[in-house]
Amino acid sequence: MSEKILILDFGSQYTQLIARRVRELNIFCEIFPFNRFPAIDDSVKGVILSGSPFSVTDENALQIDISQVVGKTPVLGVCYGAQYIAQYYGGEVQRSLKREYGKAHLNRFYREDAFLKDIPQGDQVWMSHGDTITRIPEQFDLLASTESVDVAAFRSKEGAFAAPVYCIQFHPEVTHSLNGGALLKNFLYDIAGCRGDWTPAHFVEHTVEELRNKIGEEHVLMGLSGGVDSTVAAELLHRAIGDALICFFVDNGLLRKNEFEEVLESYKSMGLRVIGIDARQRFWDALHGVREPEEKRKIIGRVFIEVFEEEARKIEKVQWLGQGTIYPDVIESVSVHGPSVTIKSHHNVGGLPDKLKLKIVEPLRMLFKDEVRRVGKELGVPAAILNRHPFPGPGLGIRILGDVTPERVALLQEADAIFTGQLKKQGLYDKVWQAGVILLPIHSVGVMGDERTYEQAVALRAVNSSDGMTAEWSRLPHDFLAAVSSEIINNVKGINRVVYDISTKPPSTIEWE
């Protein structure tokens, strides 16, 4: 990349949000653990030090040699980053008598500065810290205060360092800081001198050229899921190497109704060289009698790898394995706190690259989910795939509570098709982040005509979210829910009760298993 911003992560829950805000300004950035950041070269236009759940006053506080950063490029310290800089250069940081958390207002500015351009008096910002800076170092000037925090923003004096240093004790990356985006823009454009040329078109052009140079005349094998990530990654590879990309699309018997045929046709219309593999019975046999959710996930992942490996060995001259890995997966693997302990089993490729002796290529490893969609749009990926709701890797296998059988899969597929179809028909599909139906492991009493029934129940699940980390249940119209319930009960023999899940994440998860 021609220019970039480095974000040094001290463990803040908002670090990824800082990166998203920088990217939204068409500036490329990367997150690195505070103790594992690269050397600063000419491509680095600035460095941002994140917040942290830790205190700079603790004996075991996270520390870096700040001289590796300050003076080499403009620096912005956010919350913990600001407190660390203040303490490092001789200022004072003390534990607050009370935690400063929530909305505050910049009610006093001390001098004009490019950093504060277009920031109004009384601007609302978001505080989240247990320490507070009580005295700034001699090399710095105070910029702004709030009603409760004397040191809200400060900067290095002219000539104190070879490049300016700015520090703030609030979080500009969260939406509660009303002009936080403008503040970041001021730092990135006016102080760091960024051009802002990192666009979807630029990413496509750069990535295709990079892939072409990396792969050369060799062949790539890739498994497709029908989802956004794998499809966009495949299209980038296809632009770079054409038919040297060979794709597998596996029917694991746990897809939505008609999904295998429809998605396969979409892929072929995109010009991809794709091989459809019918492995339904193999997955159903492996899942027979298994009820425990995590065991289901492991079985589905294991059988997928077995099928993929067997089919891959039929193809000669493959040197690479393509994957749709995206940036949050990369960040998680190099977290300040170490790799996540909650990685889902079905995301693990189980050593496929080693078994097949393949190198890995990941075209999307630097993109967030929303950026993947924008790149997909730039590439002309069909809207039916691009706007598709997220779908779990194990598919309907974890939306069928209890035994997974071909009969129960078919039952759920019919109910799910009605729910999804009505969302699209009523113009609600694009207003919901993810939706699906869960087949419950219970029977309930009902009445149809003059007869008593004892059939299965399903739960409708629809949520709104930006990244799946948190989610609110969707407030779908009651009339719509009533119509869906009626259509499912009247048309899907074996289901006589429909309920709607109104749980948020947390404490619940989006999926039931």
Side-chain angles (χ1 to χ4, degrees):
M1 297 297 170
S2 56
E3 64 175 22
K4 63 184 175 184
I5 296 293
L6 302 185
I7 300 173
L8 305 191
D9 181 18
F10 289 88
S12 171
Q13 62 178 320
Y14 299 133
T15 301
Q16 285 196 35
L17 198 52
I18 296 175
R20 292 171 75 94
R21 296 292 175 259
V22 174
R23 300 274 188 96
E24 286 167 4
L25 292 167
N26 295 332
I27 299 167
F28 180 71
C29 67
E30 288 187 74
I31 297 173
F32 292 91
F34 73 98
N35 56 354
R36 280 183 279 167
F37 61 92
I40 295 175
D41 57 30
D42 291 341
S43 69
V44 178
K45 306 295 285 185
V47 173
I48 299 176
L49 277 58
S50 83
S52 175
F54 302 100
S55 166
V56 298
T57 63
D58 290 345
E59 188 176 328
N60 298 318
L62 306 181
Q63 299 181 26
I64 63 169
D65 179 2
I66 204 74
S67 65
Q68 295 182 59
V69 178
V70 170
K72 298 179 185 289
T73 189
V75 172
L76 173 62
V78 176
C79 200
Y80 181 94
Q83 294 159 359
Y84 186 78
I85 289 171
Q87 185 184 70
Y88 187 92
Y89 286 104
E92 289 184 2
V93 181
Q94 297 179 357
R95 297 295 291 174
S96 302
L97 295 176
K98 63 176 183 177
R99 180 170 170 78
E100 293 165 340
Y101 181 85
K103 297 173 184 175
H105 299 86
L106 299 178
N107 59 2
R108 187 173 182 186
F109 294 149
Y110 294 92
R111 52 183 41 80
E112 289 188 3
D113 194 279
F115 184 58
L116 299 173
K117 184 181 70 175
D118 298 329
I119 306 300
Q121 190 87 9
D123 185 42
Q124 178 181 296
V125 295
W126 185 259
M127 297 285 185
S128 180
H129 54 91
D131 292 343
T132 193
I133 299 168
T134 55
R135 181 173 61 81
I136 63 174
E138 292 182 3
Q139 304 98 311
F140 291 79
D141 286 327
L142 189 60
L143 289 179
S145 300
T146 70
E147 61 270 28
S148 58
V149 177
D150 291 335
V151 181
F154 58 105
R155 63 153 294 170
S156 58
K157 292 179 177 178
E158 294 290 341
F161 305 105
V165 178
Y166 285 82
C167 298
I168 51 180
Q169 278 207 102
F170 54 89
H171 289 273
E173 67 272 22
V174 301
T175 55
H176 299 300
S177 291
L178 299 184
N179 286 286
L183 205 67
L184 286 172
K185 185 177 181 181
N186 291 343
F187 174 76
L188 295 167
Y189 279 83
D190 296 341
I191 294 160
C194 293
R195 296 186 302 276
D197 57 3
W198 196 69
T199 62
H202 179 269
F203 176 84
V204 169
E205 180 183 357
H206 174 86
T207 303
V208 167
E209 181 182 357
E210 190 177 62
L211 290 170
R212 195 174 286 135
N213 292 335
K214 177 188 283 189
I215 297 167
E217 301 297 318
E218 296 181 331
H219 287 63
V220 178
L221 185 62
M222 185 167 185
L224 301 178
S225 68
V228 176
D229 299 342
S230 66
T231 304
V232 173
E235 182 61 19
L236 281 167
L237 284 163
H238 185 247
R239 290 277 182 100
I241 62 174
D243 282 348
L245 170 68
I246 305 152
C247 301
F248 288 163
F249 183 41
V250 179
D251 186 352
N252 59 8
L254 304 169
L255 302 175
R256 287 180 154 130
K257 183 179 179 181
N258 299 327
E259 186 173 26
F260 182 66
E261 295 79 11
E262 291 172 0
V263 173
L264 199 59
E265 186 56 39
S266 293
Y267 283 146
K268 289 179 177 177
S269 70
M270 291 169 61
L272 295 177
R273 182 182 173 187
V274 58
I275 300 169
I277 301 167
D278 183 355
R280 290 175 296 174
Q281 195 62 51
R282 187 162 175 175
F283 281 87
W284 292 337
D285 290 345
L287 290 167
H288 179 72
V290 178
R291 303 175 64 89
E292 204 279 318
E294 185 62 10
E295 187 63 22
K296 287 182 186 177
R297 289 177 177 272
K298 289 178 178 177
I299 288 171
I300 293 166
R302 172 179 58 77
V303 176
F304 175 81
I305 288 168
E306 290 172 356
V307 170
F308 194 97
E309 185 180 2
E310 289 172 13
E311 295 294 329
R313 295 196 184 283
K314 298 176 185 177
I315 299 174
E316 298 179 354
K317 298 181 181 178
V318 172
Q319 294 86 10
W320 295 84
L321 179 68
Q323 291 185 212
T325 309
I326 62 175
Y327 199 36
D329 303 323
V330 176
I331 296 168
E332 183 179 65
S333 68
V334 292
S335 163
V336 169
H337 307 291
S340 169
V341 296
T342 57
I343 296 174
K344 293 176 181 176
S345 302
H346 68 274
H347 285 159
N348 191 333
V349 295
L352 255 182
D354 292 334
K355 288 181 180 179
L356 297 173
K357 303 292 189 291
L358 299 178
K359 298 171 282 188
I360 294 178
V361 58
E362 300 167 313
L364 305 179
R365 71 186 317 274
M366 298 311 297
L367 297 187
F368 288 105
K369 189 76 169 186
D370 53 337
E371 294 172 330
V372 175
R373 293 185 191 278
R374 290 201 292 271
V375 168
K377 186 176 181 180
E378 178 70 27
L379 288 165
V381 172
I385 291 179
L386 206 55
N387 299 326
R388 183 176 182 257
H389 287 176
F391 190 61
L396 299 181
I398 58 167
R399 291 184 179 176
I400 296 174
L401 277 56
D403 293 334
V404 177
T405 65
E407 295 75 24
R408 299 190 80 207
V409 170
L411 201 66
L412 180 55
Q413 284 176 330
E414 293 298 329
D416 182 81
I418 290 171
F419 185 33
T420 303
Q422 282 294 343
L423 283 169
K424 292 177 178 177
K425 185 177 179 180
Q426 300 300 323
L428 295 169
Y429 186 84
D430 291 335
K431 296 178 181 179
V432 171
W433 190 73
Q434 185 173 355
V437 181
I438 296 90
L439 183 62
L440 305 181
I442 57 173
H443 285 68
S444 70
V445 174
V447 176
M448 290 188 180
D450 295 325
E451 294 184 3
R452 175 185 182 276
T453 62
Y454 190 58
E455 296 179 335
Q456 295 199 245
V458 294
L460 308 181
R461 182 68 159 147
V463 298
N464 287 87
S465 177
S466 59
D467 54 14
M469 299 302 291
T470 61
E472 273 287 333
W473 62 277
S474 302
R475 272 62 172 176
L476 296 176
H478 290 179
D479 288 348
F480 169 79
L481 293 172
V484 170
S485 174
S486 178
E487 187 174 350
I488 289 174
I489 292 170
N490 289 335
N491 291 281
V492 185
K493 185 173 176 57
I495 296 174
N496 70 351
R497 189 176 299 272
V498 176
V499 300
Y500 188 50
D501 183 349
I502 58 169
S503 309
T504 60
K505 178 185 179 181
S508 301
T509 53
I510 295 175
E511 300 296 340
W512 280 43
E513 289 192 342

